[in-house]
Amino acid sequence: MTDKELFEIAEKAKEYSYSPYSNFRVGAALLCEDGKVFTGTNVENASFGATVCAERVALVKAVSEGCKTFTKIAISADKNPCSPCGICRQSLIEFSPEMQVIYMSQDGCLVNVNLKDLLLNNFVL
Ligand code: THU
């Protein structure tokens, strides 16, 4: 699957965003090694700390259905760039440090970076 195809899936996932507090919609599409794609969107809550980012929604959906190795994640948001937050980087790197992260730059080009370059010296237990 191309970066553009995966990003288009993330754009569609963004439509389901529940973000009445920030009005900032995010969609994610997570590509597994077997070709399956899991989508996610941000789900906010009046208790702000209970908010879950789009990337972690996709991750939890995938892992809970037996998929634990990922090649790419694409993220689409209402404002560019939107690269994953620190908690999402840490959550993803546990499973696939070699995976690629795709998002749109401020000038509208798709960026593809390695997750391990976004998070150096991640926490390991
Ligand atoms: N958000 C994500 O879904 N992913 C990110 O990588 C950054 C932030 C969400 C969380 C919250 O619902 C909104 O964007 C504003 O922070």
Side-chain angles (χ1 to χ4, degrees), residues 22 24 26 42 44 51 53-55 82-85:
S22 70
F24 187 77
V26 185
N42 53 330
E44 297 187 346
T51 292
C53 292
E55 297 91 325
C82 180
S83 75
C85 78

Side-chain angles (χ1 to χ4, degrees), residues 2-69:
T2 66
D3 292 359
K4 186 169 179 288
E5 286 168 338
L6 194 64
F7 185 79
E8 284 168 359
I9 296 171
E11 277 184 307
K12 287 198 190 112
K14 189 175 71 177
E15 301 300 319
Y16 293 115
S17 172
Y18 177 74
S19 44
Y21 305 104
S22 70
N23 288 312
F24 187 77
R25 298 173 305 159
V26 185
L30 182 62
L31 179 63
C32 308
E33 61 173 352
D34 65 0
K36 280 187 197 146
V37 176
F38 289 87
T39 59
T41 192
N42 53 330
V43 181
E44 297 187 346
N45 193 274
S47 177
F48 297 163
T51 292
V52 190
C53 292
E55 297 91 325
R56 276 177 292 135
V57 170
L59 178 68
V60 168
K61 284 168 70 178
V63 175
S64 64
E65 295 196 17
C67 298
K68 294 193 188 74
T69 308

Side-chain angles (χ1 to χ4, degrees), residues 43-120:
V43 181
E44 297 187 346
N45 193 274
S47 177
F48 297 163
T51 292
V52 190
C53 292
E55 297 91 325
R56 276 177 292 135
V57 170
L59 178 68
V60 168
K61 284 168 70 178
V63 175
S64 64
E65 295 196 17
C67 298
K68 294 193 188 74
T69 308
F70 312 112
T71 53
K72 299 179 185 182
I73 188 168
I75 301 135
S76 167
D78 279 336
K79 184 167 168 273
N80 300 321
C82 180
S83 75
C85 78
I87 297 174
C88 290
R89 292 177 194 200
Q90 174 71 30
S91 299
L92 290 164
I93 212 164
E94 172 119 358
F95 294 93
S96 294
E98 303 298 330
M99 71 185 292
Q100 299 171 342
V101 178
I102 297 139
Y103 59 91
M104 194 162 273
S105 67
Q106 200 172 5
D107 56 4
C109 298
L110 283 186
V111 177
N112 179 322
V113 288
N114 289 319
L115 177 60
K116 64 182 181 188
D117 292 329
L118 288 181
L119 185 62
L120 300 176

